[in-house]
Amino acid sequence: MIYIARNADVIPQKILEVALRAQEELENLPIDKRKNYIKSKSHIWRGFAKYLSKMSHGKCWYSEAKDAGANFDVDHFRPKSEAKRSDGLVDEQGYAWLAFNWENFRLSAQNCNRLNRDEDSEITVGKGSWFPLLDGSKKATWDDRCTNDELPLLLDPLVKNDLDFIDFDDRGLFVKSFFCVGLQARRIRDSAVIYGLNLERMREARFAAMKEAKDLYETIQISVEDLDVQGDQASMKAIVRQIEMLKAKTRADAAFSRAVRVQLQKLGASDLFIDRNMDAA
């Protein structure tokens, strides 16, 4: 998961105005007409997809996956139709008033947004309409839109502090860090399941990116040792190229760059190998 610094300036005014008009119409509808109206206007939030993509360098905001051949969904962080709080509790109205509010949109890989069955664990994962709240949290409604007072269980890529203590193990699994305990540990564990962040295909892709970075770092170390012996200019240029290749894997526009950075930090790699020039935050 990556922090996203949203930028309304990349969204054309026409797109924002269409969403605003839909919101104004929605506000005047009786409760029994809202769901069908929202469903009929799905093209509105889909129209934001490419602009949300620009904000994350073409990566899913939840998984950090980047695949030119994949379709991305525009997820409503707070579900627009119904909000599933637990296996036995569903708020039928959800957060209908946020259906056209682009600040509620998150760019999501379909595997994160849609329900999938994890063949290894036989657990159904994917966000779907899930939006659990922590115990004691206030709950926003159409008549009391106190979303700022809610305490969501799910990690939010728009909240920097939510991303503290995220780690990746040596198999490429999205996990909590060793020092993370209590409520935040629970949020990380449950978010990994609900967002499908450890589906086998996702784990394999993340692990491959981490392994490539580790292998390249070890190659650079060997090259440096050889340079001490040979000391020729060609070897030095080769090392510089290898360093630039490694730094490219840590850029904000590279798939799984957060996991790669964590891997390098565990290897004791200095910031020489981490490129922060394109960071979203």
Side-chain angles (χ1 to χ4, degrees):
M1 187 173 291
I2 47 176
Y3 171 70
I4 302 297
R6 291 174 301 181
N7 180 9
D9 292 340
V10 306
I11 306 173
Q13 190 61 32
K14 180 179 179 180
I15 299 290
L16 294 170
E17 289 172 356
V18 169
L20 181 60
R21 285 197 298 272
Q23 179 67 31
E24 291 171 348
E25 292 181 28
L26 177 65
E27 294 286 349
N28 293 315
L29 291 177
I31 187 171
D32 61 324
K33 302 289 185 182
R34 292 170 190 162
K35 280 193 176 181
N36 285 337
Y37 177 78
I38 290 171
K39 193 177 296 184
S40 72
K41 298 292 184 178
S42 61
H43 63 280
I44 293 180
W45 57 82
R46 289 173 184 161
F48 282 82
K50 64 181 178 181
Y51 308 108
L52 300 177
S53 181
K54 288 182 180 180
M55 299 178 198
S56 62
H57 309 289
K59 298 194 292 187
C60 167
W61 293 15
Y62 299 132
S63 69
E64 213 187 349
K66 183 176 184 179
D67 185 351
N71 293 317
F72 287 91
D73 289 338
V74 175
D75 172 50
H76 289 73
F77 181 64
R78 285 178 166 82
K80 61 189 179 298
S81 298
E82 65 175 26
K84 188 173 182 180
R85 308 299 188 181
S86 67
D87 284 328
L89 179 61
V90 177
D91 284 348
E92 297 295 339
Q93 299 305 315
Y95 297 83
W97 69 94
L98 295 176
F100 307 115
N101 185 338
W102 81 271
E103 294 184 354
N104 187 42
F105 301 160
R106 311 287 186 268
L107 188 73
S108 175
Q110 289 184 348
N111 281 345
C112 294
N113 190 42
R114 305 185 186 190
L115 299 180
N116 295 274
R117 190 159 183 83
D118 189 323
E119 295 180 0
D120 290 339
S121 66
E122 297 187 349
I123 295 173
T124 297
V125 301
K127 185 168 179 285
S129 60
W130 275 101
F131 198 72
L133 297 173
L134 299 177
D135 294 342
S137 172
K138 291 192 68 173
K139 184 177 68 175
T141 64
W142 180 276
D143 295 320
D144 183 11
R145 304 178 183 184
C146 58
T147 53
N148 288 337
D149 296 324
E150 287 189 329
L151 301 174
L153 171 69
L154 289 173
L155 303 179
D156 185 354
L158 301 185
V159 179
K160 273 188 175 183
N161 291 343
D162 276 6
L163 308 188
D164 293 341
F165 304 112
I166 288 174
D167 200 356
F168 305 91
D169 71 10
D170 57 7
R171 296 175 295 164
L173 290 172
F174 180 100
V175 297
K176 70 177 187 66
S177 73
F178 175 79
F179 299 100
C180 183
V181 296
L183 187 58
Q184 185 65 1
R186 177 193 167 198
R187 294 186 70 211
I188 291 173
R189 284 194 300 265
D190 288 5
S191 293
V193 174
I194 292 176
Y195 288 133
L197 299 179
N198 287 327
L199 279 168
E200 185 60 15
R201 283 174 293 171
M202 188 76 71
R203 183 203 65 79
E204 287 179 347
R206 188 185 297 120
F207 173 75
M210 294 168 65
K211 186 176 185 302
E212 287 174 3
K214 180 181 179 181
D215 291 348
L216 185 52
Y217 176 64
E218 290 174 349
T219 297
I220 292 170
Q221 287 181 307
I222 293 171
S223 297
V224 170
E225 292 172 359
D226 291 343
L227 182 64
D228 285 341
V229 176
Q230 299 175 13
D232 61 276
Q233 193 66 22
S235 297
M236 186 62 220
K237 288 182 179 179
I239 292 172
V240 170
R241 286 195 299 272
Q242 291 165 349
I243 290 174
E244 290 305 313
M245 289 172 59
L246 183 53
K247 288 173 69 175
K249 296 180 183 297
T250 72
R251 286 161 53 108
D253 60 346
F256 305 113
S257 58
R258 182 184 178 97
V260 168
R261 292 183 185 195
V262 169
Q263 174 77 295
L264 292 176
Q265 288 163 356
K266 288 181 178 179
L267 291 171
S270 69
D271 276 354
L272 172 65
F273 302 103
I274 296 178
D275 187 343
R276 303 185 186 277
N277 291 329
M278 294 181 62
D279 282 4

